[in-house]
Amino acid sequence: MKLDFTNRSLNCDIEVPGDKSISHRAIMFGAIAHGDTHIKGFLYSEDCKSTLSCFRQLGVEIKELENEIIVHGKGIQGLKKPLEHLDVGNSGTTIRLMSGLLAGSAISATLFGDASIAKRPMARVIKPLSEMGANIKGSIDGNYAPIKVTGTQLKGITYKMPIASAQVKSAILLAGIHAEGETRVIEPNPSRDHTERFLRAFGGAIFTENNEIVIKGNQQLHGQLLHIPGDISSAAFWMVAAAITPGSEVKLLKVGLNPTRTGIIDVMKEMGSDIEIEELESTGEPYGNIIVRYSNLRGTVIDGELITRLIDEIPIIALLATQALGQTTIRNAEELRVKETDRIAATSEQLSLLGANIIPTKDGLIIKGGSKLFGAEVDSCGDHRIGMMLAVSALVTDGPVILNNADAIAVSYPTFINDLNKNLC
Ligand code: S3P
């Protein structure tokens, strides 16, 4: 795909699609609750469609209307044994959360996904779930998909997580809902807390204090009416596009502002971005408008607990850093090695092809800003976020960018390239 955006700018209001993490959980909680869950703002992307079709295979009735999805939940006991293996596609959230959810069910199922899923570590969920008494087996040394889960009666545990991961935390909590006794999860630092918010909203008993989350076992959840805000991880591409392209101003409408996800805003402010937040009234997940204008930027250091709050935004932050004055250092981000692709390698390799001065390290990136990028042929490496970062780079290159494997973008934001093309001035 040829992206010829040189000397163009952006001046627009954009409503980005619904939050991916929240959309997955909306279907999952709707399915194990009793009664109907109405979902507005669901993200129709490849990843979330995988979750939707897995639950249909489990016998959950899901109605798709023009502006909402209705999940007819019949509780965990309402799930039916699927006739075929469950295909999670490219979605790590689907396979890891469903492993926990199915572990305490009354059915057995096998979860598998695409070539990227087959390479991602699964022991991180299999280990704690096994401690809860789950009958769960991974492939190849037990660490990889396909994962076979045979539902059984679980018992609550206390689990001290070695890494901050919302997927691991959520798998344990989803298993804990139907376990005997209390389940306690201790995080090294707070990861996104959508699952905890869902548990509370669906009438569950959950207590959080500092980095500890405790839930009661054998709980019954009840269907809810949900409004899903825009995904800040999708908004991030527009935010950076506006920040690095002279003459640009973008207003992003109704974007999720959950504090466990807003690290990108903190970093952009620190780098000197012209960025304004208008918070809107909310009873569930916080949300609001984000306005970003072009400005001069300076390098920064990104590490420690901040990494968890912006883990999915690091590829686009790397592009931002190429346009800043001075050096940006990103460290403590070794988790990027096991995302949809090795994002440390993919980000540094692809941005280097465009002339960026970027060095990969074992747990991050060192970017020397201020180098002029040129048009070249690059590849999404099958990773949606690498694909969108490279599409945005075409705004600051001196000639067209040829983006191969652009279809990977559909995993989280199917209309991104179209929306970008439509809004260029
Ligand atoms: C997600 C958690 C994060 C994030 C992923 C979505 C979630 O993964 O990178 O895109 O929805 O829980 P980890 O839990 O592996 O950090």
Side-chain angles (χ1 to χ4, degrees):
M1 175 180 290
K2 184 174 172 186
L3 304 167
D4 193 356
F5 302 160
T6 310
N7 295 327
R8 310 284 293 275
S9 62
L10 289 163
N11 249 287
C12 50
D13 288 4
I14 299 282
E15 206 166 317
V16 294
D19 188 279
K20 182 157 81 69
S21 291
I22 300 177
S23 294
H24 285 300
R25 287 162 172 81
I27 298 285
M28 294 181 190
F29 274 86
I32 58 169
H34 291 263
D36 288 355
T37 288
H38 294 251
I39 308 170
K40 289 189 194 292
F42 180 77
L43 169 65
Y44 270 104
S45 74
E46 292 308 314
D47 257 20
C48 299
K49 286 197 279 183
S50 296
T51 294
L52 203 146
S53 75
C54 285
F55 279 91
R56 281 213 169 111
Q57 275 180 263
L58 292 170
V60 180
E61 198 191 323
I62 303 173
K63 239 189 238 133
E64 290 173 78
L65 307 178
E66 204 178 306
N67 289 317
E68 77 172 11
I69 289 183
I70 305 172
V71 184
H72 297 291
K74 291 198 180 130
I76 190 97
Q77 299 300 332
L79 300 182
K80 305 231 158 57
K81 185 175 174 357
L83 299 174
E84 285 169 17
H85 291 352
L86 302 173
D87 185 355
V88 306
N90 188 246
S91 177
T93 305
T94 309
I95 194 163
R96 294 197 177 119
L97 270 60
M98 285 190 76
S99 296
L101 185 149
L102 291 171
S105 73
I107 58 165
S108 64
T110 298
L111 297 150
F112 75 104
D114 66 8
S116 153
I117 281 291
K119 286 195 226 137
R120 299 185 67 183
M122 296 297 151
R124 54 179 63 196
V125 287
I126 293 173
K127 180 175 175 283
L129 292 174
S130 301
E131 281 178 30
M132 296 176 83
N135 186 344
I136 179 167
K137 279 191 184 57
S139 311
I140 325 171
D141 297 333
N143 188 23
Y144 295 94
I147 300 176
K148 180 161 193 225
V149 192
T150 303
T152 185
Q153 179 60 55
L154 304 175
K155 56 179 190 306
I157 54 165
T158 293
Y159 191 69
K160 196 160 182 254
M161 302 209 324
I163 44 166
S165 159
Q167 292 179 355
V168 175
K169 170 177 66 178
S170 302
I172 301 169
L173 294 178
L174 282 161
I177 297 171
H178 301 105
E180 246 163 44
E182 244 175 41
T183 296
R184 180 182 298 262
V185 182
I186 305 158
E187 296 190 274
N189 58 276
S191 63
R192 63 191 68 192
D193 65 354
H194 306 302
T195 301
E196 295 92 304
R197 287 172 186 262
F198 265 103
L199 257 158
R200 232 168 256 129
F202 277 67
I206 170 160
F207 313 93
T208 51
E209 209 187 310
N210 300 322
N211 292 350
E212 286 197 28
I213 305 134
V214 184
I215 65 164
K216 288 219 151 48
N218 288 323
Q219 304 202 44
Q220 249 207 30
L221 304 178
H222 303 283
Q224 296 297 317
L225 173 58
L226 305 171
H227 288 267
I228 300 180
D231 196 328
I232 191 165
S233 297
S234 297
F237 297 98
W238 295 98
M239 289 160 67
V240 169
I244 62 177
T245 313
S248 295
E249 174 168 341
V250 171
K251 181 170 185 173
L252 295 145
L253 308 168
K254 299 188 219 158
V255 181
L257 294 173
N258 181 318
T260 59
R261 300 279 302 277
T262 49
I264 174 95
I265 296 176
D266 299 350
V267 163
M268 288 183 71
K269 281 186 178 160
E270 177 70 29
M271 293 177 79
S273 242
D274 183 348
I275 179 163
E276 245 176 78
I277 310 293
E278 297 172 350
E279 282 177 30
L280 299 169
E281 205 59 51
S282 147
T283 47
E285 288 274 351
Y287 72 101
N289 304 326
I290 304 173
I291 301 144
V292 183
R293 299 178 197 93
Y294 171 76
S295 64
N296 292 324
L297 302 163
R298 53 180 176 269
T300 189
V301 176
I302 306 169
D303 60 6
E305 298 195 359
L306 181 56
I307 292 291
T308 316
R309 294 177 53 239
L310 50 66
I311 189 72
D312 291 341
E313 284 63 79
I314 291 175
I316 192 67
I317 289 173
L319 174 65
L320 179 74
T322 67
Q323 304 305 297
L325 205 64
Q327 178 172 305
T328 294
T329 306
I330 302 172
R331 47 183 182 235
N332 309 132
E334 50 278 280
E335 272 297 297
L336 291 180
R337 296 265 182 212
V338 289
K339 291 292 177 190
E340 285 81 331
T341 181
D342 175 344
R343 285 186 176 157
I344 293 177
T347 301
S348 57
E349 280 162 22
Q350 298 304 312
L351 279 176
S352 296
L353 291 172
L354 299 172
N357 186 341
I358 177 166
I359 303 160
T361 63
K362 110 182 158 318
D363 66 346
L365 296 160
I366 297 169
I367 304 132
K368 295 213 166 71
S371 44
K372 181 76 198 131
L373 302 188
F374 42 78
E377 191 169 337
V378 289
D379 201 303
S380 75
C381 309
D383 184 319
H384 53 130
R385 300 201 198 281
I386 302 291
M388 284 187 276
M389 179 272 284
L390 293 167
V392 173
S393 77
L395 284 159
V396 290
T397 51
D398 67 359
V401 167
I402 310 293
L403 175 59
N404 294 323
N405 288 314
D407 51 356
I409 292 171
V411 155
S412 64
Y413 198 161
T415 60
F416 182 65
I417 303 273
N418 257 348
D419 292 354
L420 200 51
N421 262 311
K422 267 199 316 228
N423 286 290
L424 289 170
C425 318

